[in-house]
Amino acid sequence: MAGTVSPHDAKTLIEQLPILQVLVPFCTAPLIVLIGNRHMAWLLAFVASVISLVISYVLLTQVYGGGFISYQLGGWAPPLGIEYRVDAANALVMLLISAIATLTLPFAYESVKDEIKAKDHTLFYACFMLCYTGLMGVVITGDAFNVFVFLEISSLSTYVLVAQGAGRDKRALTAAYDYLIMGTIGATFFVIGIGFLFMSTGTLNMADLADRIANEGTNRTIRAGFAFIIVGMGLKAAMYPLHLWLPKAYTFAPSAVTVLLSATSTKMAIYVLLRFLFSVYNPEFIFELNVMFLVFMPLALIAMFSASFVAVFQVNFKRMLAYSSIAQIGYMLLGIAMFNLSGLTGTMVHMFNHGITKAVLFMGVGALVLRTGSSFYNNLNGLGRVMPLTVAPIVIGGLSLIGVPGTAGFVSKWMLVQAAFENGWWFIAILIVLSSLLAVVYVWRAIEVLYLSEPAQGTKMAEAPMSMLIPMWILAIACIWFGVATDLPLGAASTAAEVLLSGSFGMVE
Protein backbone atom coordinates (compact mmCIF):
# COMPACT_ATOMS: atom_id res chain seq x y z
CA MET A 1 0.00 0.00 0.00
CA ALA A 2 1.16 3.50 -0.76
CA GLY A 3 -0.75 6.67 -0.24
CA THR A 4 -1.03 10.20 1.10
CA VAL A 5 -3.68 11.04 3.66
CA SER A 6 -4.76 14.44 4.95
CA PRO A 7 -6.86 14.73 8.14
CA HIS A 8 -9.37 16.83 6.18
CA ASP A 9 -9.74 14.15 3.49
CA ALA A 10 -9.71 11.07 5.75
CA LYS A 11 -13.17 9.51 5.82
CA THR A 12 -12.53 6.34 7.80
CA LEU A 13 -10.92 5.52 11.14
CA ILE A 14 -8.29 3.41 9.35
CA GLU A 15 -7.01 6.50 7.52
CA GLN A 16 -6.57 8.31 10.85
CA LEU A 17 -4.44 5.58 12.44
CA PRO A 18 -1.04 7.34 12.07
CA ILE A 19 -2.12 10.32 14.17
CA LEU A 20 -4.05 8.14 16.62
CA GLN A 21 -0.84 6.19 17.23
CA VAL A 22 0.53 9.28 18.99
CA LEU A 23 -2.68 10.90 20.26
CA VAL A 24 -3.98 7.88 22.20
CA PRO A 25 -1.07 7.64 24.70
CA PHE A 26 -0.50 11.41 24.65
CA CYS A 27 -4.09 12.19 25.71
CA THR A 28 -4.06 9.34 28.25
CA ALA A 29 -1.22 10.91 30.27
CA PRO A 30 -3.06 14.11 31.36
CA LEU A 31 -6.27 12.09 31.79
CA ILE A 32 -4.47 9.89 34.33
CA VAL A 33 -3.33 12.97 36.26
CA LEU A 34 -6.79 14.57 36.05
CA ILE A 35 -8.56 11.51 37.48
CA GLY A 36 -5.85 11.03 40.09
CA ASN A 37 -6.81 7.46 41.04
CA ARG A 38 -3.87 5.03 40.96
CA HIS A 39 -6.04 2.01 40.10
CA MET A 40 -7.70 3.86 37.23
CA ALA A 41 -4.26 5.12 36.18
CA TRP A 42 -3.10 1.57 35.50
CA LEU A 43 -6.31 0.67 33.68
CA LEU A 44 -6.21 3.74 31.44
CA ALA A 45 -2.55 3.14 30.58
CA PHE A 46 -3.22 -0.50 29.76
CA VAL A 47 -6.24 0.24 27.54
CA ALA A 48 -4.27 2.93 25.68
CA SER A 49 -1.39 0.50 25.12
CA VAL A 50 -3.71 -2.21 23.79
CA ILE A 51 -5.32 0.25 21.37
CA SER A 52 -1.87 1.38 20.22
CA LEU A 53 -0.77 -2.24 19.74
CA VAL A 54 -3.75 -2.90 17.48
CA ILE A 55 -2.96 0.25 15.49
CA SER A 56 0.68 -0.83 15.12
CA TYR A 57 -0.32 -4.21 13.77
CA VAL A 58 -2.80 -2.74 11.28
CA LEU A 59 -0.20 -0.21 10.04
CA LEU A 60 2.38 -2.99 9.62
CA THR A 61 -0.02 -5.08 7.55
CA GLN A 62 -0.64 -2.08 5.29
CA VAL A 63 3.06 -1.52 4.47
CA TYR A 64 4.35 -5.09 4.86
CA GLY A 65 4.77 -5.54 1.11
CA GLY A 66 6.97 -2.46 0.69
CA GLY A 67 4.54 0.44 0.46
CA PHE A 68 4.29 3.55 2.60
CA ILE A 69 1.68 5.82 4.18
CA SER A 70 2.11 9.61 4.24
CA TYR A 71 -0.18 11.37 6.72
CA GLN A 72 -0.24 15.19 6.44
CA LEU A 73 -1.00 17.32 9.51
CA GLY A 74 -2.44 20.81 9.75
CA GLY A 75 -3.73 21.06 6.20
CA TRP A 76 -0.25 21.88 4.88
CA ALA A 77 1.28 19.48 2.41
CA PRO A 78 4.90 18.50 3.11
CA PRO A 79 7.58 19.72 3.00
CA LEU A 80 5.93 22.88 4.41
CA GLY A 81 3.68 20.91 6.72
CA ILE A 82 4.47 18.19 9.23
CA GLU A 83 4.17 14.65 7.95
CA TYR A 84 3.86 11.27 9.64
CA ARG A 85 5.31 8.61 7.37
CA VAL A 86 4.97 4.84 7.84
CA ASP A 87 6.91 2.16 6.00
CA ALA A 88 8.10 -1.34 6.88
CA ALA A 89 11.12 -0.03 8.81
CA ASN A 90 9.29 2.04 11.39
CA ALA A 91 6.13 -0.11 11.39
CA LEU A 92 8.17 -3.05 12.73
CA VAL A 93 9.72 -0.86 15.45
CA MET A 94 6.29 0.52 16.42
CA LEU A 95 4.94 -3.02 16.74
CA LEU A 96 7.82 -3.90 19.06
CA ILE A 97 7.38 -0.79 21.24
CA SER A 98 3.61 -1.15 21.55
CA ALA A 99 3.80 -4.91 22.25
CA ILE A 100 6.42 -4.43 24.98
CA ALA A 101 4.48 -1.56 26.59
CA THR A 102 1.26 -3.61 26.56
CA LEU A 103 2.96 -6.60 28.23
CA THR A 104 4.94 -4.45 30.66
CA LEU A 105 1.84 -2.88 32.21
CA PRO A 106 0.33 -6.13 33.63
CA PHE A 107 3.81 -6.98 34.93
CA ALA A 108 4.07 -3.50 36.45
CA TYR A 109 0.83 -3.81 38.44
CA GLU A 110 2.41 -5.77 41.31
CA SER A 111 5.99 -4.66 40.71
CA VAL A 112 5.16 -0.96 41.00
CA LYS A 113 3.20 -1.52 44.21
CA ASP A 114 6.26 -3.21 45.70
CA GLU A 115 8.96 -0.79 44.50
CA ILE A 116 7.26 2.64 44.37
CA LYS A 117 5.31 4.50 47.05
CA ALA A 118 1.54 4.45 46.54
CA LYS A 119 1.31 8.25 46.36
CA ASP A 120 3.58 8.22 43.29
CA HIS A 121 1.72 5.59 41.26
CA THR A 122 -0.35 8.12 39.33
CA LEU A 123 2.81 10.05 38.44
CA PHE A 124 4.47 6.81 37.37
CA TYR A 125 1.74 5.79 34.91
CA ALA A 126 1.43 9.32 33.53
CA CYS A 127 5.18 9.41 32.86
CA PHE A 128 4.97 5.90 31.41
CA MET A 129 2.43 7.14 28.87
CA LEU A 130 4.50 10.22 28.05
CA CYS A 131 7.58 8.06 27.53
CA TYR A 132 5.53 5.80 25.29
CA THR A 133 4.21 8.81 23.36
CA GLY A 134 7.73 10.07 22.77
CA LEU A 135 8.99 6.68 21.57
CA MET A 136 6.14 6.28 19.11
CA GLY A 137 6.40 9.89 17.93
CA VAL A 138 10.12 9.61 17.21
CA VAL A 139 9.54 6.51 15.13
CA ILE A 140 6.51 7.63 13.12
CA THR A 141 7.33 11.27 12.32
CA GLY A 142 8.73 12.27 8.96
CA ASP A 143 9.97 15.63 10.23
CA ALA A 144 13.55 15.89 11.50
CA PHE A 145 12.85 18.54 14.14
CA ASN A 146 9.87 16.59 15.45
CA VAL A 147 12.24 13.67 16.03
CA PHE A 148 14.01 15.95 18.51
CA VAL A 149 10.73 17.11 20.08
CA PHE A 150 9.44 13.59 20.68
CA LEU A 151 12.90 12.49 21.77
CA GLU A 152 12.79 15.08 24.53
CA ILE A 153 9.27 14.06 25.58
CA SER A 154 10.47 10.48 25.91
CA SER A 155 13.75 11.40 27.61
CA LEU A 156 12.36 13.81 30.22
CA SER A 157 9.72 11.32 31.33
CA THR A 158 12.32 8.54 31.37
CA TYR A 159 14.54 10.48 33.79
CA VAL A 160 11.59 10.69 36.19
CA LEU A 161 10.79 7.00 35.76
CA VAL A 162 14.38 5.98 36.53
CA ALA A 163 14.43 8.22 39.60
CA GLN A 164 11.34 6.42 40.94
CA GLY A 165 13.68 3.57 41.89
CA ALA A 166 14.97 5.70 44.77
CA GLY A 167 12.31 4.18 47.03
CA ARG A 168 14.36 0.96 47.02
CA ASP A 169 17.86 2.29 46.33
CA LYS A 170 18.92 5.95 46.53
CA ARG A 171 21.48 5.33 43.79
CA ALA A 172 18.55 5.57 41.37
CA LEU A 173 18.74 9.35 41.82
CA THR A 174 22.37 9.54 40.69
CA ALA A 175 21.59 7.10 37.87
CA ALA A 176 18.76 9.37 36.71
CA TYR A 177 21.01 12.42 37.02
CA ASP A 178 23.79 10.80 34.99
CA TYR A 179 21.24 9.74 32.40
CA LEU A 180 19.88 13.30 32.29
CA ILE A 181 23.32 14.82 31.71
CA MET A 182 24.34 12.31 29.06
CA GLY A 183 20.91 12.37 27.41
CA THR A 184 20.93 16.17 27.27
CA ILE A 185 24.37 16.16 25.66
CA GLY A 186 23.14 13.63 23.09
CA ALA A 187 19.99 15.64 22.34
CA THR A 188 22.07 18.82 22.01
CA PHE A 189 24.39 17.19 19.49
CA PHE A 190 21.39 15.88 17.57
CA VAL A 191 19.55 19.21 17.38
CA ILE A 192 22.78 20.99 16.32
CA GLY A 193 23.05 18.46 13.50
CA ILE A 194 19.45 19.15 12.49
CA GLY A 195 20.22 22.88 12.57
CA PHE A 196 23.14 22.38 10.19
CA LEU A 197 20.90 20.46 7.79
CA PHE A 198 18.22 23.15 7.90
CA MET A 199 20.81 25.91 7.40
CA SER A 200 22.09 24.20 4.27
CA THR A 201 18.87 22.88 2.73
CA GLY A 202 16.08 25.08 4.11
CA THR A 203 13.84 22.11 4.95
CA LEU A 204 13.13 19.79 7.88
CA ASN A 205 11.02 17.18 6.11
CA MET A 206 13.18 14.05 5.97
CA ALA A 207 12.00 12.96 2.52
CA ASP A 208 12.65 16.45 1.18
CA LEU A 209 16.04 16.53 2.93
CA ALA A 210 16.94 13.29 1.16
CA ASP A 211 15.94 14.69 -2.22
CA ARG A 212 17.88 17.92 -1.76
CA ILE A 213 21.03 16.20 -0.51
CA ALA A 214 20.86 13.72 -3.42
CA ASN A 215 20.19 16.39 -6.07
CA GLU A 216 22.35 19.26 -4.82
CA GLY A 217 25.20 17.27 -3.32
CA THR A 218 26.89 17.78 0.04
CA ASN A 219 28.98 20.54 1.55
CA ARG A 220 30.86 21.04 4.81
CA THR A 221 27.71 22.06 6.66
CA ILE A 222 25.83 18.91 5.68
CA ARG A 223 28.84 16.77 6.57
CA ALA A 224 29.14 18.49 9.96
CA GLY A 225 25.43 17.89 10.55
CA PHE A 226 25.97 14.22 9.78
CA ALA A 227 28.73 13.97 12.40
CA PHE A 228 26.64 15.69 15.09
CA ILE A 229 23.62 13.46 14.38
CA ILE A 230 25.70 10.27 14.57
CA VAL A 231 27.26 11.28 17.90
CA GLY A 232 23.94 12.47 19.37
CA MET A 233 21.97 9.37 18.47
CA GLY A 234 24.96 7.15 19.23
CA LEU A 235 24.79 8.44 22.80
CA LYS A 236 21.04 7.79 22.98
CA ALA A 237 21.59 4.29 21.60
CA ALA A 238 24.36 3.56 24.13
CA MET A 239 26.80 2.94 21.30
CA TYR A 240 30.25 2.08 22.66
CA PRO A 241 31.98 4.14 24.12
CA LEU A 242 28.96 6.43 24.71
CA HIS A 243 27.22 3.85 26.88
CA LEU A 244 28.24 4.88 30.41
CA TRP A 245 24.75 5.98 31.43
CA LEU A 246 23.12 2.63 30.64
CA PRO A 247 24.38 0.16 33.31
CA LYS A 248 23.35 2.33 36.27
CA ALA A 249 20.03 3.36 34.71
CA TYR A 250 19.02 -0.26 34.03
CA THR A 251 20.28 -1.49 37.42
CA PHE A 252 18.64 1.04 39.73
CA ALA A 253 15.44 1.91 37.83
CA PRO A 254 12.24 0.16 38.94
CA SER A 255 11.94 -3.28 37.33
CA ALA A 256 9.03 -2.29 35.05
CA VAL A 257 10.97 0.73 33.81
CA THR A 258 14.03 -1.38 33.06
CA VAL A 259 11.85 -3.78 31.04
CA LEU A 260 10.46 -0.94 28.92
CA LEU A 261 13.77 0.86 28.40
CA SER A 262 15.86 -2.21 27.62
CA ALA A 263 13.41 -3.45 25.01
CA THR A 264 12.46 -0.17 23.33
CA SER A 265 14.57 2.92 24.05
CA THR A 266 17.87 1.90 22.45
CA LYS A 267 15.96 0.24 19.56
CA MET A 268 14.26 3.56 18.86
CA ALA A 269 17.67 5.29 18.75
CA ILE A 270 19.10 2.63 16.42
CA TYR A 271 16.09 3.16 14.14
CA VAL A 272 16.76 6.92 14.00
CA LEU A 273 20.40 6.20 13.14
CA LEU A 274 19.27 3.90 10.33
CA ARG A 275 16.77 6.45 9.05
CA PHE A 276 19.31 9.24 8.83
CA LEU A 277 22.10 7.02 7.54
CA PHE A 278 20.14 5.46 4.70
CA SER A 279 17.08 7.62 4.01
CA VAL A 280 18.13 11.20 4.68
CA TYR A 281 21.75 10.77 3.64
CA ASN A 282 22.07 8.32 0.76
CA PRO A 283 24.10 5.10 0.91
CA GLU A 284 26.68 6.50 -1.54
CA PHE A 285 27.39 9.39 0.84
CA ILE A 286 27.96 6.98 3.74
CA PHE A 287 30.21 4.78 1.65
CA GLU A 288 32.15 7.82 0.49
CA LEU A 289 32.82 8.84 4.10
CA ASN A 290 33.76 5.27 5.10
CA VAL A 291 31.66 5.66 8.24
CA MET A 292 30.82 1.96 8.22
CA PHE A 293 34.35 0.66 8.18
CA LEU A 294 36.18 3.32 10.19
CA VAL A 295 33.59 3.99 12.90
CA PHE A 296 30.77 1.45 13.20
CA MET A 297 32.73 -1.74 12.52
CA PRO A 298 35.50 -1.34 15.14
CA LEU A 299 33.18 0.12 17.79
CA ALA A 300 30.66 -2.69 17.23
CA LEU A 301 33.32 -5.38 17.64
CA ILE A 302 34.77 -3.75 20.75
CA ALA A 303 31.28 -3.52 22.29
CA MET A 304 30.50 -7.16 21.50
CA PHE A 305 33.57 -8.40 23.36
CA SER A 306 34.31 -5.82 26.06
CA ALA A 307 30.72 -5.52 27.32
CA SER A 308 30.27 -9.31 27.29
CA PHE A 309 33.55 -9.73 29.15
CA VAL A 310 32.44 -7.24 31.82
CA ALA A 311 29.05 -9.00 32.07
CA VAL A 312 30.80 -12.26 32.97
CA PHE A 313 32.15 -10.76 36.21
CA GLN A 314 28.99 -9.04 37.45
CA VAL A 315 27.42 -10.19 40.72
CA ASN A 316 24.13 -8.34 40.14
CA PHE A 317 21.71 -9.99 37.70
CA LYS A 318 20.25 -6.69 36.46
CA ARG A 319 23.69 -5.17 35.94
CA MET A 320 24.85 -8.25 34.04
CA LEU A 321 21.88 -7.93 31.68
CA ALA A 322 22.63 -4.20 31.28
CA TYR A 323 26.15 -4.91 30.03
CA SER A 324 24.73 -7.65 27.84
CA SER A 325 22.52 -5.01 26.21
CA ILE A 326 25.58 -2.95 25.29
CA ALA A 327 27.07 -6.03 23.61
CA GLN A 328 23.84 -6.71 21.72
CA ILE A 329 23.76 -3.11 20.47
CA GLY A 330 27.19 -3.91 19.05
CA TYR A 331 25.61 -6.69 16.96
CA MET A 332 23.06 -4.21 15.57
CA LEU A 333 25.80 -1.74 14.63
CA LEU A 334 27.79 -4.57 13.06
CA GLY A 335 24.83 -5.40 10.81
CA ILE A 336 24.76 -1.76 9.67
CA ALA A 337 28.50 -1.88 8.99
CA MET A 338 28.05 -4.95 6.72
CA PHE A 339 26.38 -2.56 4.26
CA ASN A 340 24.40 -5.29 2.49
CA LEU A 341 20.82 -6.57 2.49
CA SER A 342 21.49 -9.50 4.84
CA GLY A 343 23.34 -7.26 7.30
CA LEU A 344 20.59 -4.64 7.47
CA THR A 345 17.96 -7.38 7.70
CA GLY A 346 19.97 -8.87 10.57
CA THR A 347 20.06 -5.49 12.32
CA MET A 348 16.30 -4.94 11.97
CA VAL A 349 15.34 -8.45 13.06
CA HIS A 350 17.86 -8.35 15.94
CA MET A 351 16.24 -5.14 17.18
CA PHE A 352 12.93 -7.00 17.33
CA ASN A 353 14.27 -10.29 18.70
CA HIS A 354 16.53 -8.67 21.28
CA GLY A 355 13.62 -6.51 22.41
CA ILE A 356 11.42 -9.50 23.32
CA THR A 357 14.40 -11.45 24.70
CA LYS A 358 15.65 -8.73 27.01
CA ALA A 359 12.10 -7.90 28.12
CA VAL A 360 11.47 -11.45 29.38
CA LEU A 361 14.87 -11.54 31.12
CA PHE A 362 14.33 -8.27 32.97
CA MET A 363 10.77 -9.34 33.83
CA GLY A 364 12.17 -12.51 35.32
CA VAL A 365 14.67 -10.57 37.42
CA GLY A 366 11.90 -8.19 38.48
CA ALA A 367 9.80 -11.14 39.67
CA LEU A 368 12.75 -12.41 41.70
CA VAL A 369 13.25 -8.93 43.17
CA LEU A 370 9.58 -8.93 44.20
CA ARG A 371 10.09 -12.11 46.23
CA THR A 372 13.64 -11.59 47.55
CA GLY A 373 14.07 -7.81 47.53
CA SER A 374 17.39 -8.12 45.68
CA SER A 375 18.89 -8.88 42.26
CA PHE A 376 22.30 -9.94 43.60
CA TYR A 377 23.24 -13.52 42.80
CA ASN A 378 23.96 -14.46 46.41
CA ASN A 379 20.29 -13.82 47.24
CA LEU A 380 18.96 -15.90 44.32
CA ASN A 381 20.58 -19.26 45.09
CA GLY A 382 18.43 -22.23 44.11
CA LEU A 383 15.31 -20.22 43.30
CA GLY A 384 14.85 -22.21 40.09
CA ARG A 385 13.97 -25.20 42.29
CA VAL A 386 11.45 -23.38 44.48
CA MET A 387 10.01 -21.03 41.80
CA PRO A 388 10.10 -23.16 38.62
CA LEU A 389 7.33 -21.32 36.73
CA THR A 390 9.00 -17.97 37.41
CA VAL A 391 12.55 -18.98 36.52
CA ALA A 392 11.84 -21.11 33.40
CA PRO A 393 11.13 -18.04 31.20
CA ILE A 394 14.51 -16.62 32.30
CA VAL A 395 16.18 -19.76 30.96
CA ILE A 396 14.34 -19.48 27.63
CA GLY A 397 15.30 -15.81 27.37
CA GLY A 398 18.91 -16.69 28.19
CA LEU A 399 19.02 -19.29 25.41
CA SER A 400 17.66 -16.70 22.97
CA LEU A 401 20.26 -14.20 24.17
CA ILE A 402 23.01 -16.70 23.38
CA GLY A 403 21.49 -17.48 19.99
CA VAL A 404 20.70 -21.17 20.45
CA PRO A 405 19.03 -22.69 17.33
CA GLY A 406 15.26 -22.73 17.69
CA THR A 407 15.15 -19.36 19.45
CA ALA A 408 14.62 -15.86 18.08
CA GLY A 409 18.18 -14.82 18.91
CA PHE A 410 19.59 -17.47 16.57
CA VAL A 411 17.72 -16.08 13.55
CA SER A 412 19.21 -12.59 13.77
CA LYS A 413 22.74 -13.79 14.58
CA TRP A 414 22.58 -16.23 11.68
CA MET A 415 21.62 -13.34 9.38
CA LEU A 416 24.67 -11.42 10.58
CA VAL A 417 26.95 -14.42 9.98
CA GLN A 418 25.44 -14.82 6.52
CA ALA A 419 26.03 -11.12 5.80
CA ALA A 420 29.68 -11.49 6.81
CA PHE A 421 30.15 -14.43 4.45
CA GLU A 422 28.45 -12.52 1.61
CA ASN A 423 31.10 -9.83 2.01
CA GLY A 424 33.85 -12.44 2.25
CA TRP A 425 34.55 -11.42 5.86
CA TRP A 426 34.95 -14.92 7.34
CA PHE A 427 36.99 -13.48 10.20
CA ILE A 428 34.03 -11.27 11.24
CA ALA A 429 31.77 -14.34 11.14
CA ILE A 430 34.15 -16.12 13.51
CA LEU A 431 34.11 -13.11 15.86
CA ILE A 432 30.30 -13.18 15.95
CA VAL A 433 30.41 -16.83 17.03
CA LEU A 434 33.16 -16.21 19.60
CA SER A 435 31.30 -13.29 21.18
CA SER A 436 28.20 -15.50 21.44
CA LEU A 437 30.31 -17.98 23.40
CA LEU A 438 30.97 -15.23 25.94
CA ALA A 439 27.19 -14.94 26.28
CA VAL A 440 27.15 -18.66 27.11
CA VAL A 441 29.47 -17.93 30.05
CA TYR A 442 27.41 -15.19 31.71
CA VAL A 443 24.06 -16.82 30.99
CA TRP A 444 25.33 -20.15 32.36
CA ARG A 445 26.52 -18.41 35.51
CA ALA A 446 22.99 -17.13 36.13
CA ILE A 447 21.50 -20.58 35.48
CA GLU A 448 24.07 -22.12 37.81
CA VAL A 449 23.03 -19.76 40.61
CA LEU A 450 19.33 -20.38 40.03
CA TYR A 451 19.42 -24.16 39.67
CA LEU A 452 22.71 -25.68 40.82
CA SER A 453 23.27 -23.69 44.00
CA GLU A 454 21.62 -24.82 47.20
CA PRO A 455 18.67 -22.68 48.35
CA ALA A 456 19.05 -21.05 51.73
CA GLN A 457 17.89 -23.35 54.49
CA GLY A 458 14.15 -23.11 54.96
CA THR A 459 13.59 -21.11 51.77
CA LYS A 460 9.95 -21.32 50.70
CA MET A 461 9.25 -18.80 47.98
CA ALA A 462 5.88 -18.44 46.29
CA GLU A 463 5.74 -18.15 42.51
CA ALA A 464 5.42 -14.66 41.04
CA PRO A 465 1.84 -13.32 40.76
CA MET A 466 -0.13 -14.34 37.66
CA SER A 467 -0.06 -10.74 36.43
CA MET A 468 3.72 -11.18 36.14
CA LEU A 469 3.81 -14.80 34.99
CA ILE A 470 1.44 -14.31 32.04
CA PRO A 471 3.44 -11.58 30.22
CA MET A 472 6.69 -13.41 31.04
CA TRP A 473 5.45 -16.63 29.47
CA ILE A 474 3.97 -14.81 26.46
CA LEU A 475 7.41 -13.32 25.76
CA ALA A 476 9.19 -16.61 26.46
CA ILE A 477 6.91 -18.41 23.99
CA ALA A 478 7.51 -15.57 21.51
CA CYS A 479 11.27 -16.16 21.82
CA ILE A 480 10.67 -19.73 20.65
CA TRP A 481 7.87 -18.95 18.19
CA PHE A 482 9.85 -16.32 16.29
CA GLY A 483 12.82 -18.67 16.24
CA VAL A 484 10.74 -21.16 14.24
CA ALA A 485 8.00 -19.13 12.51
CA THR A 486 10.15 -16.29 11.20
CA ASP A 487 7.76 -14.88 8.59
CA LEU A 488 6.57 -11.80 10.48
CA PRO A 489 9.82 -10.32 11.87
CA LEU A 490 12.12 -11.61 9.11
CA GLY A 491 9.76 -10.66 6.30
CA ALA A 492 9.17 -7.16 7.67
CA ALA A 493 12.89 -6.73 8.41
CA SER A 494 13.84 -7.79 4.89
CA THR A 495 11.38 -5.33 3.36
CA ALA A 496 12.63 -2.62 5.72
CA ALA A 497 16.24 -3.32 4.71
CA GLU A 498 15.31 -3.04 1.02
CA VAL A 499 13.63 0.31 1.69
CA LEU A 500 16.66 1.59 3.60
CA LEU A 501 19.23 0.40 1.06
CA SER A 502 17.23 2.02 -1.73
CA GLY A 503 17.88 5.32 0.04
CA SER A 504 14.22 6.29 -0.22
CA PHE A 505 11.12 6.88 1.88
CA GLY A 506 8.90 5.30 -0.70
CA MET A 507 8.10 2.06 -2.44
CA VAL A 508 10.67 -0.69 -2.77
CA GLU A 509 11.78 -0.67 -6.38
Side-chain angles (χ1 to χ4, degrees):
M1 173 182 176
T4 300
V5 181
S6 168
H8 300 287
D9 301 328
K11 296 180 175 60
T12 65
L13 184 64
I14 295 293
E15 293 175 317
Q16 298 283 9
L17 291 185
I19 189 64
L20 290 175
Q21 186 69 291
V22 175
L23 281 181
V24 169
F26 180 72
C27 293
T28 303
L31 186 60
I32 287 172
V33 176
L34 183 65
I35 294 175
N37 182 285
R38 60 191 178 94
H39 301 292
M40 283 298 295
W42 178 88
L43 181 61
L44 288 169
F46 181 68
V47 170
S49 296
V50 171
I51 293 172
S52 186
L53 175 59
V54 173
I55 293 173
S56 296
Y57 181 77
V58 173
L59 289 175
L60 179 60
T61 59
Q62 291 179 346
V63 298
Y64 187 85
F68 73 97
I69 301 169
S70 174
Y71 185 92
Q72 303 171 3
L73 280 77
W76 292 86
L80 294 178
I82 295 174
E83 174 190 33
Y84 286 177
R85 200 172 184 95
V86 183
D87 60 18
N90 58 358
L92 180 63
V93 180
M94 283 192 290
L95 180 66
L96 172 66
I97 294 172
S98 55
I100 294 299
T102 302
L103 291 172
T104 300
L105 282 165
F107 172 86
Y109 188 79
E110 293 292 337
S111 179
V112 167
K113 287 197 295 185
D114 178 64
E115 298 183 30
I116 299 175
K117 295 177 182 178
K119 66 182 181 64
D120 295 328
H121 288 187
T122 302
L123 170 66
F124 175 86
Y125 289 113
C127 287
F128 189 99
M129 282 290 99
L130 286 176
C131 177
Y132 184 34
T133 301
L135 292 170
M136 299 301 273
V138 166
V139 174
I140 200 172
T141 187
D143 182 89
F145 187 75
N146 268 278
V147 172
F148 168 72
V149 172
F150 283 116
L151 191 66
E152 286 301 280
I153 292 173
S154 173
S155 297
L156 291 172
S157 52
T158 300
Y159 307 147
V160 177
L161 289 173
V162 172
Q164 293 293 301
R168 181 179 292 274
D169 194 322
K170 294 299 182 184
R171 285 175 291 183
L173 296 176
T174 58
Y177 180 76
D178 290 345
Y179 191 7
L180 184 152
I181 297 300
M182 299 295 284
T184 302
I185 293 172
T188 302
F189 268 77
F190 180 77
V191 77
I192 289 173
I194 297 301
F196 279 140
L197 288 182
F198 182 71
M199 182 169 62
S200 185
T201 63
T203 184
L204 289 170
N205 181 273
M206 289 194 279
D208 194 37
L209 274 170
D211 290 338
R212 297 196 184 196
I213 291 173
N215 295 330
E216 300 172 11
T218 60
N219 52 41
R220 289 183 179 179
T221 306
I222 289 177
R223 289 170 183 261
F226 178 82
F228 273 93
I229 288 169
I230 294 299
V231 173
M233 292 314 302
L235 207 156
K236 290 286 186 179
M239 181 175 72
Y240 187 93
L242 306 174
H243 65 281
L244 298 180
W245 59 268
L246 187 146
K248 287 198 292 184
Y250 283 13
T251 302
F252 300 117
S255 298
V257 176
T258 305
V259 172
L260 180 70
L261 293 184
S262 65
T264 63
S265 182
T266 51
K267 314 306 179 294
M268 171 272 293
I270 293 289
Y271 162 77
V272 175
L273 271 177
L274 285 168
R275 187 56 86 189
F276 275 88
L277 282 170
F278 291 97
S279 296
V280 175
Y281 292 91
N282 54 65
E284 289 78 12
F285 172 84
I286 300 165
F287 182 77
E288 178 186 335
L289 291 182
N290 288 321
V291 173
M292 302 302 183
F293 309 107
L294 298 179
V295 179
F296 280 12
M297 179 73 76
L299 294 181
L301 293 173
I302 292 171
M304 287 161 53
F305 283 91
S306 63
S308 295
F309 189 73
V310 173
V312 169
F313 295 96
Q314 296 304 308
V315 296
N316 184 305
F317 205 162
K318 287 181 76 173
R319 196 170 183 87
M320 180 274 281
L321 292 175
Y323 278 103
S324 167
S325 289
I326 298 167
Q328 300 302 313
I329 291 165
Y331 287 105
M332 298 173 205
L333 294 175
L334 184 64
I336 299 172
M338 298 291 188
F339 206 71
N340 57 22
L341 182 60
S342 295
L344 274 183
T345 301
T347 293
M348 292 299 301
V349 79
H350 197 56
M351 289 167 60
F352 184 88
N353 290 342
H354 179 254
I356 61 176
T357 298
K358 199 49 67 77
V360 70
L361 285 167
F362 274 115
M363 280 186 182
V365 178
L368 298 179
V369 169
L370 179 72
R371 293 306 187 208
T372 67
S374 172
S375 58
F376 283 94
Y377 285 144
N378 57 7
N379 294 316
L380 307 179
N381 288 331
L383 291 186
R385 305 183 193 181
V386 296
M387 302 171 64
L389 290 178
T390 304
V391 176
I394 297 177
V395 177
I396 296 172
L399 295 176
S400 181
L401 192 63
I402 294 169
V404 173
T407 63
F410 172 77
V411 177
S412 45
K413 289 189 178 181
W414 175 251
M415 290 300 301
L416 294 176
V417 170
Q418 182 178 326
F421 280 127
E422 286 179 8
N423 283 351
W425 298 346
W426 58 268
F427 183 67
I428 299 298
I430 292 174
L431 291 178
I432 294 172
V433 175
L434 290 176
S435 62
S436 294
L437 293 179
L438 280 175
V440 173
V441 177
Y442 59 72
V443 170
W444 172 253
R445 186 183 180 198
I447 292 175
E448 184 179 19
V449 168
L450 293 169
Y451 284 97
L452 302 183
S453 299
E454 288 294 329
Q457 190 172 5
T459 299
K460 291 183 180 180
M461 291 286 182
E463 296 281 3
M466 288 300 295
S467 62
M468 287 184 163
L469 286 177
I470 290 174
M472 285 169 59
W473 274 102
I474 289 174
L475 287 167
I477 292 170
C479 286
I480 298 173
W481 176 261
F482 290 122
V484 179
T486 61
D487 290 349
L488 175 63
L490 199 56
S494 179
T495 303
E498 291 178 25
V499 170
L500 291 169
L501 276 177
S502 69
S504 71
F505 278 85
M507 300 285 289
V508 177
E509 297 296 337

